[in-house]
Amino acid sequence: MNKETVEFIDRALLANGDYVSPGFEIIKPDKCFPNMIVADTSASNWPDIRREINHNWYVDKREPYVGFLSRDEVHIVYNNALKFRDKKALAIGCWYGWSACALALAGVELDVIDPLLAKEDIYESVANSLRSAGVLDSVNLVSGYSPQKVEELAEKLQRKWSLLFIDGCHEAPSPLHDAIICEKFAEADALILFHDLNSPEVAEGLDYFKQKGWNTMVYQTRQIMGVAWRGNIDPVPHQPDPKINWHLPEHLQNYSVSELSTDTANEFMEIVAAVRPYTLLGEIRLFSLYSLAKKVCLEDIPGNFVECGSYKGGSAALLASVIKRYSLRPRLLYACDTFEGMPEPTEVDIYNGIPANLTGFGVGTLKAPMAENIELVCQLLNVKDIVVPVKGLFAETLPQYKSEIGSIALLHADGDWYESTMDIFNTLYDSVVPNGIIQVDDYGHWDGCKKALHDFERLRGQKFNLNRIDYTAVWFKLPFN
């Protein structure tokens, strides 16, 4: 069972009282936290707990008066962290390791600072949970108090962090001091997340970043999360649970809230439910394609859509469905693939040091006969009339179809291998119109794909402004010449 199928099942099996925003990839490491239970908020005497929000309140049964991040909140952490795979991340505050586990599962190199780690029982519990999740080796657990220990660690390791999560002491002036020290050691492209902004004292930390000119926003969740960011990075979009009548406390009234419309979220989930058996893309990448395609259509950017690497056709059908619903002009979606399995990789096509043919996704894999796959899902979504399947190797079919395709408004490059990606860019890049969009699926997964993209940059003397979607996918917009 592949990761995306597991993710889909996990969303379908969310417990009553749990909610996760559409467009988020799902993780569920609950088995790594055997003491985690749902508790009654009346067990807590903290004045800033939102008892009126009926999302499950998770605690460790050994100390049931302190809550974990809610299901939705931990997915805000995880899905933002997916943009920072292999980069340095810092967590101030750990408790029993629930949020640290989510960060580490996203693939960051994580430093965790919490004075409670000096307690042997808590340290062992956190380490055991991280070990069970298979991420302990990527986490550096440090006992100590922020901000002193943050500065000491940064200077000792000569370190700055790209992603920072602040969930430490909630009493003033600690959140403000945490914010100040985090800004000092944040990379130029950085994102800082806060938990428990329902507390005015915690919100002082986010206020600091707003005053310093960072972009800021809040997420409507059980305890309210906040995000500050700068540089070439954007936080994930979020839809608050539409079943809850949300409000913002007075001290957050001057902040914008990340809020997808209910219609958008419902429409996206409806399409995903239809295409899920026909794609290997995770929900966060599908949502990016959906959003970018909708943007292209509503802004009436001229040109057809092209997907190179369609497999069973799920993402092609999603793109075509957006065209059908939103395009202001006639467009076609060209879906290009061998439909007979992956071609032979080269020696640069490697994942995590392993040659492609030894990973289980090498030559001949991902065969998807058209009649049983792309034609079926396109018929299901009633988009067969605007999808043109193009069967064969990119090196042969793309030059042949280039003239017929004409101008390209959106290009989805999912070729995996070095040579396939170079064939896509060498043949089709010049057909992408100004303000057109290119999404590349395997930039962070296959070494060959990343090398091809940067080799093409060098050939053209250009530098693409890559926007991270998750650990592997990126997108960029073509500028006006």
Coordinates of all heavy atoms in Angstrom, one line a residue, residues 36-65:
M36 N -1.1 8.8 24.8 CA -1.9 9.9 24.3 C -3.4 9.5 24.4 O -3.8 8.5 23.8 CB -1.5 10.3 22.9 CG -2.2 11.6 22.5 SD -1.5 12.2 20.9 CE -2.3 11.1 19.7
I37 N -4.2 10.4 25.0 CA -5.6 10.1 25.1 C -6.4 11.4 24.8 O -5.8 12.5 24.9 CB -6.0 9.6 26.5 CG1 -5.6 10.6 27.6 CG2 -5.4 8.2 26.7 CD1 -6.2 10.2 28.9
V38 N -7.7 11.3 24.6 CA -8.5 12.5 24.5 C -9.0 12.8 25.9 O -9.5 11.8 26.6 CB -9.7 12.2 23.6 CG1 -10.7 13.4 23.6 CG2 -9.2 11.9 22.2
A39 N -8.9 14.0 26.3 CA -9.3 14.4 27.7 C -10.3 15.5 27.7 O -10.6 16.1 26.7 CB -8.1 14.8 28.5
D40 N -10.9 15.8 28.8 CA -11.8 16.8 29.0 C -11.0 18.1 29.4 O -10.2 18.1 30.3 CB -12.8 16.5 30.2 CG -13.9 17.5 30.3 OD1 -13.8 18.7 30.0 OD2 -15.0 17.0 30.7
T41 N -11.3 19.2 28.7 CA -10.6 20.5 29.0 C -10.8 21.0 30.4 O -10.0 21.8 30.8 CB -11.0 21.6 28.0 OG1 -12.4 21.7 28.0 CG2 -10.6 21.2 26.6
S42 N -11.8 20.5 31.1 CA -12.0 20.9 32.5 C -10.8 20.5 33.4 O -10.7 21.0 34.5 CB -13.3 20.3 33.0 OG -13.2 18.9 33.1
A43 N -10.0 19.5 32.9 CA -8.8 19.1 33.7 C -7.8 20.2 33.7 O -6.9 20.2 34.6 CB -8.2 17.8 33.1
S44 N -7.8 21.2 32.8 CA -6.8 22.2 32.8 C -7.4 23.5 33.4 O -8.6 23.9 33.2 CB -6.5 22.6 31.3 OG -5.6 23.7 31.3
N45 N -6.5 24.1 34.2 CA -6.9 25.4 34.8 C -6.3 26.6 34.1 O -6.3 27.7 34.6 CB -6.6 25.4 36.3 CG -5.1 25.3 36.6 OD1 -4.3 25.2 35.6 ND2 -4.6 25.1 37.8
W46 N -5.7 26.3 32.9 CA -5.1 27.4 32.2 C -6.2 28.4 31.7 O -7.2 27.9 31.0 CB -4.3 26.9 31.0 CG -3.4 27.9 30.3 CD1 -2.6 28.8 30.9 CD2 -3.3 28.1 28.9 NE1 -2.0 29.6 30.0 CE2 -2.4 29.2 28.7 CE3 -3.8 27.5 27.8 CZ2 -2.0 29.6 27.5 CZ3 -3.5 27.9 26.5 CH2 -2.6 29.0 26.4
P47 N -6.2 29.6 31.9 CA -7.3 30.5 31.6 C -7.5 30.7 30.1 O -8.6 31.2 29.6 CB -6.9 31.9 32.2 CG -5.4 31.8 32.4 CD -5.1 30.4 32.7
D48 N -6.5 30.4 29.3 CA -6.6 30.7 27.8 C -6.9 29.5 27.0 O -6.8 29.5 25.7 CB -5.3 31.3 27.3 CG -5.0 32.7 28.0 OD1 -5.9 33.5 27.9 OD2 -3.9 32.9 28.5
I49 N -7.3 28.4 27.6 CA -7.8 27.3 26.8 C -9.1 27.6 26.2 O -10.0 28.2 26.9 CB -7.8 26.0 27.7 CG1 -7.9 24.8 26.7 CG2 -8.9 26.0 28.7 CD1 -7.6 23.5 27.5
R50 N -9.4 27.2 24.9 CA -10.6 27.5 24.3 C -11.6 26.3 24.5 O -11.7 25.4 23.6 CB -10.4 27.7 22.8 CG -9.5 28.9 22.5 CD -9.3 29.0 21.0 NE -10.1 30.0 20.4 CZ -10.2 30.3 19.1 NH1 -9.6 29.5 18.2 NH2 -11.0 31.2 18.6
R51 N -12.3 26.3 25.5 CA -13.2 25.2 25.9 C -14.4 25.2 24.9 O -15.1 24.1 24.8 CB -13.7 25.3 27.3 CG -12.6 25.1 28.3 CD -13.0 25.1 29.8 NE -12.0 24.7 30.7 CZ -11.0 25.5 31.1 NH1 -11.1 26.8 30.8 NH2 -10.1 25.1 31.9
E52 N -14.7 26.3 24.2 CA -15.9 26.3 23.4 C -15.6 25.6 22.0 O -16.5 25.3 21.3 CB -16.3 27.7 23.1 CG -15.4 28.6 22.2 CD -14.2 29.2 22.9 OE1 -13.9 28.8 24.1 OE2 -13.5 30.0 22.3
I53 N -14.3 25.3 21.7 CA -14.0 24.6 20.5 C -14.0 23.1 20.7 O -13.3 22.6 21.6 CB -12.6 25.0 20.0 CG1 -12.5 26.5 19.8 CG2 -12.3 24.3 18.6 CD1 -13.5 27.2 18.9
N54 N -14.9 22.4 20.0 CA -15.1 21.0 20.3 C -14.2 20.0 19.6 O -14.5 18.8 19.5 CB -16.6 20.6 20.1 CG -17.0 20.8 18.6 OD1 -16.1 21.1 17.8 ND2 -18.2 20.5 18.3
H55 N -13.1 20.5 19.1 CA -12.1 19.5 18.6 C -11.4 18.7 19.7 O -11.3 19.3 20.8 CB -11.0 20.3 17.8 CG -11.5 20.8 16.5 ND1 -10.7 21.6 15.7 CD2 -12.6 20.6 15.8 CE1 -11.4 21.9 14.6 NE2 -12.5 21.3 14.6
N56 N -11.1 17.5 19.4 CA -10.5 16.7 20.5 C -9.3 17.4 21.1 O -8.4 17.9 20.4 CB -10.0 15.3 19.9 CG -11.2 14.4 19.5 OD1 -12.2 14.5 20.2 ND2 -11.0 13.6 18.5
W57 N -9.2 17.3 22.4 CA -8.1 17.8 23.2 C -7.3 16.6 23.7 O -7.7 15.9 24.5 CB -8.6 18.6 24.4 CG -7.6 19.4 25.2 CD1 -6.7 20.3 24.6 CD2 -7.3 19.3 26.5 NE1 -5.9 20.8 25.6 CE2 -6.2 20.2 26.8 CE3 -7.8 18.5 27.6 CZ2 -5.7 20.4 28.1 CZ3 -7.2 18.7 28.9 CH2 -6.2 19.6 29.1
Y58 N -6.1 16.5 23.0 CA -5.2 15.4 23.3 C -4.2 15.7 24.5 O -3.7 16.8 24.5 CB -4.4 15.0 22.1 CG -5.3 14.3 21.0 CD1 -5.8 15.0 20.0 CD2 -5.6 12.9 21.2 CE1 -6.6 14.4 19.0 CE2 -6.4 12.3 20.2 CZ -6.9 13.0 19.1 OH -7.7 12.4 18.2
V59 N -4.0 14.7 25.3 CA -3.1 14.9 26.4 C -2.3 13.6 26.6 O -2.7 12.6 26.1 CB -3.8 15.3 27.8 CG1 -4.6 16.5 27.6 CG2 -4.7 14.1 28.2
D60 N -1.3 13.7 27.4 CA -0.6 12.4 27.9 C -1.3 12.0 29.2 O -1.4 12.9 30.1 CB 0.9 12.7 28.1 CG 1.7 11.4 28.4 OD1 1.5 10.9 29.5 OD2 2.4 11.0 27.6
K61 N -1.7 10.8 29.3 CA -2.5 10.4 30.4 C -1.8 10.4 31.8 O -2.4 10.4 32.8 CB -3.1 9.0 30.2 CG -2.1 7.9 30.1 CD -2.8 6.6 29.8 CE -1.8 5.4 29.7 NZ -2.5 4.1 29.3
R62 N -0.4 10.5 31.7 CA 0.4 10.6 32.9 C 0.3 12.0 33.5 O 0.5 12.2 34.7 CB 1.8 10.2 32.6 CG 2.0 8.8 32.2 CD 3.4 8.5 31.6 NE 3.5 9.1 30.3 CZ 4.6 9.0 29.5 NH1 5.6 8.2 29.9 NH2 4.6 9.6 28.4
E63 N 0.0 13.0 32.7 CA -0.1 14.4 33.1 C -1.2 15.0 32.3 O -0.9 15.8 31.4 CB 1.2 15.1 33.0 CG 2.3 14.5 33.8 CD 3.6 15.3 33.8 OE1 3.6 16.4 34.4 OE2 4.6 14.8 33.2
P64 N -2.5 14.7 32.6 CA -3.6 15.1 31.7 C -4.1 16.5 31.8 O -5.2 16.8 31.3 CB -4.7 14.1 32.2 CG -4.4 13.9 33.7 CD -2.9 13.9 33.8
Y65 N -3.3 17.4 32.3 CA -3.7 18.8 32.4 C -3.0 19.7 31.4 O -3.3 20.9 31.4 CB -3.5 19.3 33.9 CG -2.1 19.0 34.3 CD1 -1.0 19.9 34.0 CD2 -1.8 17.9 35.1 CE1 0.3 19.6 34.4 CE2 -0.5 17.6 35.5 CZ 0.5 18.4 35.2 OH 1.8 18.1 35.6

